[in-house]
């Protein structure tokens, strides 16, 4: 297979996985995944990110702590989420949600079933691992100048997820995992010098789960890319 074919396959294989096998990833593979991801580019090579990888007993503690915190209304987002999309962005949001609900047999009008599904975010969709991605607080400014470094963190996150895919590991990036940032910082003993952008649940995908049939589409090339010469 050519390098292009291999790369295309990795990009196409990556999708948000929302059901995982219990089997943990061994330490050597974990280190390999995260080591490859460090190759991500960043402005002036500043590498403005911190990954907190949680597995084993601690993820089981969080699997109780996070839903309990959300239920008790402990909201503390470092990056408040408007959660509102208009026009084409709203249409795409609805299409993505519909593909998941229809794969799971959830009626779009059934709000309580949708809420139950959404709540699974907080138990990491059963994944044996989660990584929380932090941006150094010095890049979080009221005038939005830190948006440049937030883009760096996004590049790191995608490189990380592609690295996971190449290792046969599935992932789901989740803004929902940033809802109780203060609680997570405390449990992980991470100082206020780091702000939580989002988390990624990961592990070996449970391919047999209905959610794996939820496939999202993409806009046509010419609607999003303008070629000039
Ligand atoms: C930064 C970011 C945050 C996301 N947050 C969530 C989330 O909280 N819960 C969830 O189920 N999916 C979340 N997603 C997954 C998106 O819904 C998904 O990437 C999108 O629908 C495209 O589908 P695909 O990843 O399968 O290609 C998030 C994706 C990104 C990039």
């Amino acid at each position: 297979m050519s390098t292009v074919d291999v790369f295309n396959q990795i990009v196409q294989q990556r999708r948000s996985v929302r059901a995982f096998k219990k089997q943990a990833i061994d330490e050597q593979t974990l280190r390999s995944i995260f080591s490859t991801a460090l190759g991500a580019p960043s402005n002036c090579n500043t590498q403005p990110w911190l990954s907190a990888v949680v597995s084993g007993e601690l993820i089981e503690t969080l699997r109780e702590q996070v839903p309990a915190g959300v239920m008790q209304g402990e909201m503390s987002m470092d990056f408040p989420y408007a959660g509102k999309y208009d026009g084409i962005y709203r249409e795409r949001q609805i299409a993505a949600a519909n593909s998941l609900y229809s794969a799971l047999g959830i009626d779009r009008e059934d709000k309580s079933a949708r809420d139950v599904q959404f709540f699974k975010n907080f138990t990491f969709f059963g994944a044996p691992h989660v990584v929380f991605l932090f941006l150094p607080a010095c890049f979080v400014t009221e005038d939005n100048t830190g948006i440049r470094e937030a883009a760096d963190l996004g590049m790191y996150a995608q490189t990380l997820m592609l690295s996971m895919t190449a290792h046969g590991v599935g992932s789901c990036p989740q803004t929902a995992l940033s809802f109780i940032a203060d609680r997570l910082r405390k449990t992980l003993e991470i100082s206020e010098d780091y702000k939580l952008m989002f988390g990624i649940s990961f592990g070996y995908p449970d391919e047999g789960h209905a959610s794996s049939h939820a496939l999202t589409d993409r806009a046509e090339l010419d609607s999003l890319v303008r070629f000039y010469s």
Side-chain angles (χ1 to χ4, degrees), residues 110-152:
D110 187 348
K111 186 169 179 327
S112 67
R114 282 191 282 130
D115 287 349
V116 168
Q117 173 57 29
F118 184 74
F119 211 74
K120 291 183 180 168
N121 271 286
F122 306 119
T123 49
F124 319 116
F125 298 115
H129 308 273
V130 63
V131 54
F132 295 99
L133 301 185
F134 293 85
L135 185 69
C138 56
F139 298 119
V140 183
T141 56
E142 278 184 14
D143 61 1
N144 264 350
T145 47
I147 205 166
R148 208 179 300 283
E149 287 71 26
D152 292 337

Side-chain angles (χ1 to χ4, degrees), residues 29-41:
T29 307
L30 275 182
R31 296 190 77 84
S32 171
I33 288 170
F34 282 86
S35 165
T36 301
L38 291 178

Side-chain angles (χ1 to χ4, degrees), residues 74-96:
E74 257 184 50
M75 289 290 276
S76 54
M77 290 184 87
D78 292 335
F79 302 93
Y81 178 57
K84 187 177 182 311
Y85 298 112
D86 289 323
I88 184 68
Y89 306 108
R90 175 78 180 138
E91 284 170 30
R92 290 178 188 153
Q93 180 191 30
I94 291 173

Side-chain angles (χ1 to χ4, degrees), residues 14-18 81 92-93 96-97 99-100 117-118 121 125 161 171-177 179 197-199 214-218:
R14 190 222 53 84
R15 59 175 179 83
S16 292
V17 172
R18 297 184 180 88
Y81 178 57
R92 290 178 188 153
Q93 180 191 30
S99 81
L100 179 62
Q117 173 57 29
F118 184 74
N121 271 286
F125 298 115
M161 289 190 288
S171 61
C172 187
Q174 294 164 260
T175 294
L177 295 183
F179 286 5
M197 184 73 86
F198 58 95
L215 297 177
T216 51
D217 56 15
R218 294 296 188 269

